[in-house]
Amino acid sequence: MKDVSKHAQTALAVLRIVTALLFIEHGTMKLFSFPSGGVAGTGGLGGLSPFMLTAGLLEVIGGLAILVGVLTRPVALLLSGQMAVAYWMIHFPGNSIFPVLNGGDAAILFCFVFLYLVLAGPGAWSLDAKFKRI
């Protein structure tokens, strides 16, 4: 197991990159109706509420920052908070308190992965590491 720990920074980078790609996808769905028809009942970018527009922008811009690993810790803190708000305002008041039933399981996972990135930093393959801002 000692040999495994030498790959921790690489594994952290892979977690950061995959999380960012999935998060960006949520934002592009809100803003550009891609890869699906957008958020139900919004009619795409023109029909987004200010709340959903802000969420979409945070997801795309913040996701891109996390993807390349720039200002990872402060951006991850902001996005973790966004996902906590999303869960408690959008998912929890739904039909069930169970995340898998109210659709909030992704929001919870994103919240805690971003919170982990606040504490752990970006890992390898990041602009923060390149410029020594970890």
Side-chain angles (χ1 to χ4, degrees):
M1 284 306 225
K2 292 177 186 174
D3 291 336
V4 173
S5 64
K6 71 181 178 183
H7 300 291
Q9 291 300 304
T10 303
L12 177 57
V14 171
L15 175 67
R16 174 181 50 82
I17 291 165
V18 169
T19 301
L21 290 170
L22 292 171
F23 200 63
I24 291 166
E25 189 175 339
H26 283 265
T28 59
M29 189 172 67
K30 288 176 184 71
L31 298 177
F32 311 118
S33 297
F34 178 81
S36 75
V39 178
T42 61
L45 186 57
L48 288 176
S49 70
F51 182 80
M52 293 302 279
L53 178 62
T54 301
L57 290 170
L58 283 171
E59 290 164 4
V60 171
I61 296 167
L64 288 170
I66 296 292
L67 178 67
V68 298
V70 65
L71 300 172
T72 302
R73 289 176 184 204
V75 171
L77 182 62
L78 176 68
L79 298 180
S80 178
Q82 177 201 2
M83 289 294 95
V85 168
Y87 181 74
W88 291 108
M89 287 185 67
I90 305 299
H91 299 284
F92 185 77
N95 297 330
S96 176
I97 63 169
F98 298 104
V100 72
L101 297 178
N102 67 27
D105 46 351
I108 292 170
L109 280 171
F110 280 127
C111 180
F112 282 94
V113 169
F114 288 135
L115 191 56
Y116 177 69
L117 290 176
V118 171
L119 300 172
W125 311 327
S126 69
L127 291 178
D128 285 342
K130 182 177 175 85
F131 298 119
K132 308 286 189 256
R133 291 189 301 219
I134 296 178

